[in-house]
Amino acid sequence: MTSHSIASCENTAVPSWLELPKDITTNILQRLDTIDIVTSVRYVCPLWWNIFKDPLMWRTIHITSDTRFHYYGQLVKICHYAIKQSCGQLEDISMEKFATDDLLKSIAENASNLRCLKIPSCHRISNKGFNEAVKKLPLLETLDISLCNLTTDSLEVVGQYCPLLTVLKLERMGFRYNAHDIGDEAFVIAKAMFGLRHLNIIGNVLSDAGLLAILAGCPHLESLDIRGCKNLFLNGSLKKQCLDQIKNVQLPEIVVIPVPRVSPVPTFYNYEDYSDDDRITYWDSIIDDDCYDPYD
């Protein structure tokens, strides 16, 4: 091999990750998926293991339903571990489909500085569990409780105990309401959430009266998404008021839906209880509280 070829190889060699400045490595690792961090990334080398000992590395925890895991209990255990590692520094957490009352309790006890909570489609969260947790999260600014079984009582608690809330996502498209909740949500939002700036209530049973209440009770709204709200008539003056008062409005489309000749067969969901602790897996062992420290 000629000297020119050797020099060319040296110039194209891939630099070692370990040679990167620590602050750059930290910045990169913070962007990785929480599941990967807990189950594999932190085990790569002693440097990465020690970086993830810093509670600031756990300020953001994003975990969604993942096909690599056979049951939600594994995701719950990973999330518990990540919350514990944050040592009170947690500010932003997203748990899609698998969150439980116990997880919310852990957040409330270990993340008083939480500013963003997203728990869409988490059907195992009760009003009681949610309300008790929210009462301990006074700094909450962003909340996503779309497609959850929470009632208007929980919205009232949010309005009372989270005065800094500016973003609420409450999508209901395809969600089956309890009869006593129909039409109430808009009035609770209008009464209890004066500081809202961004509101998403796609598919809500919102009426014209409810929309008027929101416009009056939430004067700081900058964006409003009411697509799929089929109970709205939006007469000329109401539509104009929306467009004049709010910078970014997404209105429902007027669609004529023909009445089907045969009523569709209702779909029933059987939510399996995934909390069986007897099914111990590899993933369970690597996030146990007394897990072996490979770099100790």
Side-chain angles (χ1 to χ4, degrees):
M1 181 178 291
T2 65
S3 58
H4 176 73
S5 299
I6 295 175
S8 178
C9 290
E10 291 177 349
N11 291 333
T12 58
V14 177
S16 170
W17 281 84
L18 296 178
E19 295 176 0
L20 289 173
K22 185 177 179 180
D23 59 335
I24 294 180
T25 300
T26 298
N27 186 284
I28 294 172
L29 294 178
Q30 282 178 319
R31 303 168 188 270
L32 299 179
D33 178 78
T34 302
I35 294 176
D36 291 331
I37 291 172
V38 173
T39 60
S40 60
V41 173
R42 64 195 178 114
Y43 292 96
V44 168
C45 63
L47 174 62
W48 290 13
W49 176 267
N50 287 318
I51 286 176
F52 282 112
K53 283 185 176 181
D54 184 353
L56 294 178
M57 292 295 293
W58 305 88
R59 282 183 297 186
T60 298
I61 298 173
H62 288 175
I63 303 177
T64 58
S65 180
D66 194 295
T67 56
R68 290 173 292 174
F69 295 85
H70 300 294
Y71 64 102
Y72 286 168
Q74 292 172 321
L75 298 179
V76 170
K77 191 165 186 179
I78 288 174
C79 197
H80 269 300
Y81 178 86
I83 293 170
K84 183 178 178 181
Q85 295 300 108
S86 72
C87 298
Q89 300 297 321
L90 181 60
E91 296 181 358
D92 180 348
I93 188 166
S94 175
M95 304 174 289
E96 183 180 351
K97 295 183 180 181
F98 69 91
T100 62
D101 285 350
D102 192 42
L103 270 176
L104 288 184
K105 181 180 179 182
S106 179
I107 292 170
E109 293 175 348
N110 297 281
S112 59
N113 293 319
L114 194 72
R115 286 169 169 75
C116 178
L117 174 63
K118 296 180 180 180
I119 48 174
S121 301
C122 292
H123 304 288
R124 293 193 292 167
I125 292 178
S126 68
N127 278 280
K128 181 180 178 181
F130 176 82
N131 294 349
E132 290 178 353
V134 164
K135 290 177 180 179
K136 299 178 180 179
L137 303 174
L139 300 183
L140 202 61
E141 299 173 359
T142 298
L143 177 64
D144 183 355
I145 49 175
S146 299
L147 303 178
C148 291
N149 296 318
L150 302 175
T151 66
T152 52
D153 291 340
S154 292
L155 289 178
E156 291 177 352
V157 172
V158 171
Q160 181 179 355
Y161 289 90
C162 304
L164 302 181
L165 192 73
T166 58
V167 180
L168 176 64
K169 190 172 182 180
L170 187 62
E171 291 189 14
R172 293 296 198 184
M173 188 65 76
F175 183 81
R176 183 174 295 179
Y177 284 85
N178 292 321
H180 66 276
D181 284 330
I182 294 179
D184 290 342
E185 290 176 334
F187 296 99
V188 174
I189 291 171
K191 181 181 179 180
M193 302 181 187
F194 179 83
L196 273 186
R197 295 187 179 276
H198 306 280
L199 176 60
N200 179 337
I201 47 176
I202 289 178
N204 197 278
V205 292
L206 179 69
S207 65
D208 284 11
L211 179 55
L212 279 170
I214 289 176
L215 292 175
C218 306
H220 304 295
L221 275 181
E222 299 175 10
S223 68
L224 174 64
D225 194 338
I226 50 177
R227 290 173 295 172
C229 296
K230 299 178 181 179
N231 291 340
L232 286 173
F233 290 98
L234 284 176
N235 59 56
S237 60
L238 179 55
K239 181 177 181 180
K240 184 177 185 302
Q241 184 178 349
C242 279
L243 297 175
D244 289 344
Q245 181 175 328
I246 303 174
K247 184 185 304 182
N248 182 10
V249 181
Q250 298 193 63
L251 300 173
E253 296 181 0
I254 300 177
V255 179
V256 178
I257 303 177
V259 179
R261 295 182 179 180
V262 180
S263 299
V265 178
T267 302
F268 298 94
Y269 295 93
N270 180 21
Y271 296 105
E272 183 182 354
D273 183 6
Y274 296 102
S275 60
D276 185 2
D277 291 332
D278 293 332
R279 289 178 282 182
I280 304 300
T281 67
Y282 165 75
W283 305 114
D284 295 320
S285 65
I286 65 176
I287 56 175
D288 204 346
D289 289 342
D290 55 355
C291 176
Y292 168 68
D293 185 342
Y295 303 115
D296 188 9

